Amino acid sequence: MEKNIQKTSVNLAVQTDEKERPFLEKWMAVKVGSVPLPVYVVLSAVIFVTALAQQLPINMLGGFAVILTLGSLLGTIGSRIPFVKHFGGPAILSLLVPSILVFFNLVNQNVLDSANILMKEANFLYFYIACLVCGSILGMNRKILVQGLMRMIVPMLIGMIFAMGVGTLVGVLVGFDWQHTLFYIVTPVLAGGIGEGILPLSLGYSAITGVGSEQLVAQLIPATIIGNFFAIMCSAFLSRLGEKRPEFSGQGQLIKVGKTDDMADAIREDNAPIDIKLMGAGVLTACTLFIAGGLLQHFTGFPGPVLMIVLAALLKYLNVVPKETQRGSKQLYKFISGNFTFPLMAGLGLLYIPLKDVIGTLSWQYFIVVISVVFTIIVTGFIVSRFMNMNPVEAAIISACQSGMGGTGDVAILSTADRMNLMPFAQVATRLGGALTVITMTGILRMLF
């Protein structure tokens, strides 16, 4: 009798486990970022309660807690919304929702201070870009790298000239003064972001016009933000175009590679196992190249991020970096881009997207001018690429980065199109194009005054 009772109890326990296990497995299979949903709920609840009590540590730990919680959730939601997920849903939600929360004062100062320490004081954005640029360059085929960098300069320059002309003409047609259109709407879109473009541009304008740089920044920023969002949407449409019309897309490769081409080995994926120690070497390499770029900027005056790209490309071309270090840099690039892209954009949305400034200048005429600039750049890149042995979709996406918010825009645009490996080319288009725009337009304004 006792044996039968024991067998019965064991059977009941087994049946109960079998009923509960699928339920648990079902929820554990749902991931928020890379974390199972039940685990994410517990972790985020702790962070949320601490934030409500305004007890988040004002350091990198608090900053990471904020952006990882927000970015993982918004990126996951954006990737599951029908239709929207194909047109930049994860990137747009990760940027826009935090900005909206700040606009309506739904984020307390403790959260903003924690994010600020990481994003601005520690400048996590530059670390992210350095890892992506160095990893993608060192992990890239040498011939494709050099040809891609050289060839992107042509559509970049042509796109800038056409965009300035078309944007100014459209502004005049909708009733704006041509000088106001060119210098205060068109130029900010092409300036290469806020920190590297708008701020030096405002200082240059201030020295020439006598208007305070703070006032000028408020006038210039909206065009950059609106242009950035339109570029994100365009990159999503270009990505979908590449899926529907494969003949226009290189599936992430900028240079066209034929089956009989001697560069065909560039499209082969490195399936070597992850090596943590090699990734550590990749971190050191990325940091060193970034610092070297800043040092050269001190002597040459050229932007440090651009010089970092030149250094990395030169080292790759000369093939002086050991294969193991190159592999570690590429593995680091995959780790950073796979885990920190949407959290980074959530942090940028909290601190870098002032919706108040955007809303204050909104008008249909303003939108039309900004959109015409972005559209001209993208179309120019798409068309010119076909004469330079580049894949039109990839070339157009990189051209879209010219109208983005510097490194912020590059991350958002490329992640929307799922082409983060194009970061080096995007950085050239953004940094070099932005620097040329700022220098040229400041000089022209000085001549007019």
Side-chain angles (χ1 to χ4, degrees), residues 181-212:
T181 302
L182 177 60
F183 291 105
Y184 293 92
I185 304 178
V186 175
T187 299
V189 177
L190 304 173
I194 295 176
E196 298 82 358
I198 297 301
L199 295 182
L201 189 66
S202 67
L203 292 174
Y205 282 7
S206 178
I208 296 169
T209 64
V211 180

Side-chain angles (χ1 to χ4, degrees), residues 130-131 134 277-287 325 328-330 332:
C131 290
C134 295
K277 290 185 177 180
L278 291 183
M279 288 175 62
V283 173
L284 179 58
T285 304
C287 293
T325 304
S329 297
K330 187 172 184 179
L332 174 67

Side-chain angles (χ1 to χ4, degrees), residues 197-319:
I198 297 301
L199 295 182
L201 189 66
S202 67
L203 292 174
Y205 282 7
S206 178
I208 296 169
T209 64
V211 180
S213 60
E214 298 82 5
Q215 294 176 259
L216 290 169
V217 167
Q219 294 181 52
L220 299 172
I221 279 182
T224 304
I225 296 173
I226 295 171
N228 188 72
F229 276 114
F230 187 67
I232 291 172
M233 290 187 287
C234 286
S235 70
F237 279 100
L238 286 166
S239 180
R240 290 292 289 169
L241 174 65
E243 295 174 8
K244 299 292 185 181
R245 301 287 299 274
E247 66 271 21
F248 292 140
S249 173
Q251 304 302 316
Q253 293 294 331
L254 177 62
I255 303 298
K256 291 183 178 180
V257 180
K259 293 182 179 179
T260 60
D261 200 312
D262 62 350
M263 295 188 295
D265 61 334
I267 61 176
R268 294 175 188 167
E269 193 64 32
D270 182 8
N271 295 317
I274 297 294
D275 190 317
I276 302 300
K277 290 185 177 180
L278 291 183
M279 288 175 62
V283 173
L284 179 58
T285 304
C287 293
T288 303
L289 287 172
F290 182 83
I291 291 170
L295 179 63
L296 289 175
Q297 178 180 352
H298 177 73
F299 294 109
T300 65
F302 286 98
V306 172
L307 296 174
M308 175 184 67
I309 296 170
V310 174
L311 279 174
L314 180 63
L315 291 175
K316 177 65 180 181
Y317 181 74
L318 296 175
N319 203 24

Side-chain angles (χ1 to χ4, degrees), residues 353-368:
I353 311 291
L355 287 187
K356 185 177 180 180
D357 293 334
V358 177
I359 292 173
T361 60
L362 292 183
S363 68
W364 69 267
Q365 294 98 329
Y366 196 96
F367 266 106
I368 291 296

Side-chain angles (χ1 to χ4, degrees), residues 9 28 46 53 94 100 106 213 245 301 310 318 366 385 414 448:
S9 62
M28 290 296 286
V46 173
S94 297
I100 292 173
L106 297 176
S213 60
R245 301 287 299 274
V310 174
L318 296 175
Y366 196 96
S385 67
L414 296 182
L448 291 175

